[in-house]
């Protein structure tokens, strides 16, 4: 199963816009073997859920790491579950950068999301790639920090999204070959932690400037389990074209 995750980030400002976008997606026939997860801003989860039909899954862009209590502004796992959310994204580079999320916070959120019964997408990626040939060690460090101490069985519910920061929102994507090298490296790191049989269950996505021109190159690359799409997923025509092309 290949996974296409639409991360709307903060591109959408009104429920109307969110509804129009999801309506358009529901009109596309999603091919067998493809799963689509739509991750709207929190405040539009309900509106999207009501319009999205059965073919799409609902995802959230983040989750708070405490259960409940005096945490102003926090969105908890229980709140998300109540809205029908099945998947949560954790540790996106924009959360790490603009909301100061450390590896330790990411790790706590992974625990909370797993305990909440969600499928979990953990984002990792390097700032710059200095040596064009090698996947930086920082990617391995983020993977180790996010997965340290989780139960082996939980690995089947975790997806790592490899998103080199230099490729996010820049229009310059990674090459499918380098993204594959990163996926292999990430699975190797997980293999060292959990054994190769368990690590084989871990899915790895690519994210960073995926659009209608390049989506097939990543999605149909053996060893890459799908893509996480930001900006292009908020353009009705573009995203429809992307899904239709698979
Ligand atoms: P982008 O974002 O598709 O706009 O580059 C990808 C991401 O951050 O998930």
């Amino acid at each position: 199963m290949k996974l296409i995750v639409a991360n709307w980030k903060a591109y959408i400002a009104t429920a109307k816009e969110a509804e129009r976008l999801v309506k358009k997606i529901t009109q596309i026939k999603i091919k067998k073997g493809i799963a689509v997860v739509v991750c709207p801003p929190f405040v539009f989860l309900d509106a999207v859920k009501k319009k999205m039909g059965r073919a799409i899954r609902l995802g959230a862009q983040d989750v708070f790491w405490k259960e409940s209590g005096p945490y102003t502004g926090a969105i908890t796992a229980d709140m998300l579950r109540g809205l029908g959310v099945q998947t949560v994204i954790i540790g996106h580079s924009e959360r790490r950068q603009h909301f100061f999320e450390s590896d330790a916070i990411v790790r706590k959120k992974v625990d909370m999301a797993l305990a909440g019964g969600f499928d979990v997408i953990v984002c990792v990626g390097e700032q710059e790639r200095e040596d064009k040939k090698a996947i930086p060690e920082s990617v391995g460090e983020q993977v180790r920090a996010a997965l340290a101490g989780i139960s082996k069985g939980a690995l089947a519910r975790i997806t790592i999204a490899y998103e080199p920061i230099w490729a996010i929102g820049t229009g310059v994507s990674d090459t499918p070959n380098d993204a594959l090298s990163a996926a292999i490296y990430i699975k190797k790191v997980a293999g060292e932690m959990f054994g190769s049989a368990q690590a084989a269950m871990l899915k790895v996505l690519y994210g960073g400037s995926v659009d209608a021109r390049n989506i097939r190159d990543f999605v149909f690359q053996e060893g890459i389990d799908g893509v996480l799409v930001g900006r292009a997923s908020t353009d009705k025509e573009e995203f429809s074209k992307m899904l239709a092309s698979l």
Side-chain angles (χ1 to χ4, degrees), residues 11-37:
Y11 285 119
I12 304 292
T14 65
K16 277 268 158 304
E17 236 181 301
E19 284 168 9
R20 273 201 294 270
L21 194 46
V22 77
K23 194 165 155 232
K24 180 85 182 172
I25 299 171
T26 58
Q27 288 163 358
I28 312 286
K29 178 144 179 40
I30 306 210
K31 310 265 169 43
K32 241 177 125 189
I34 304 280
V36 178
V37 181

Side-chain angles (χ1 to χ4, degrees), residues 6-11 39-42 45 59-63 80 87-92 95:
N7 176 11
W8 292 358
K9 305 189 181 185
Y11 285 119
C39 306
F42 290 131
L45 281 167
Q61 298 175 19
D62 184 34
V63 64
L80 296 178
T87 304
V88 294
I89 299 174
I90 292 174
H92 191 283
R95 302 279 328 163

Side-chain angles (χ1 to χ4, degrees), residues 5 7 9 11 89 92-94 123 163 167-171 207-211 228-233:
V5 183
N7 176 11
K9 305 189 181 185
Y11 285 119
I89 299 174
H92 191 283
S93 60
E94 287 149 16
C123 301
E163 304 205 296
I168 296 178
T170 57
S209 296
V210 176
D211 58 23
L228 204 154
V229 187
R231 179 156 206 122
S233 74

Side-chain angles (χ1 to χ4, degrees), residues 136-150:
E137 173 53 22
S138 61
V139 172
E141 280 162 21
Q142 288 170 15
V143 172
R144 275 188 281 270
L147 302 184
I150 67 158

Side-chain angles (χ1 to χ4, degrees), residues 96 102-108 110-111 122-125 135-151 155 158 160 182 184-195 202:
R96 295 178 190 258
S102 61
D103 278 343
I105 294 285
V106 169
R107 178 68 191 80
K108 287 185 197 187
V110 168
D111 264 348
V122 181
C123 301
V124 300
I135 303 301
E137 173 53 22
S138 61
V139 172
E141 280 162 21
Q142 288 170 15
V143 172
R144 275 188 281 270
L147 302 184
I150 67 158
S151 73
L155 220 51
I158 295 189
I160 302 284
I184 292 168
Y185 171 64
I186 287 166
K187 287 184 189 182
K188 181 171 147 274
V189 169
E192 287 159 7
M193 298 174 77
F194 301 97
L202 184 75

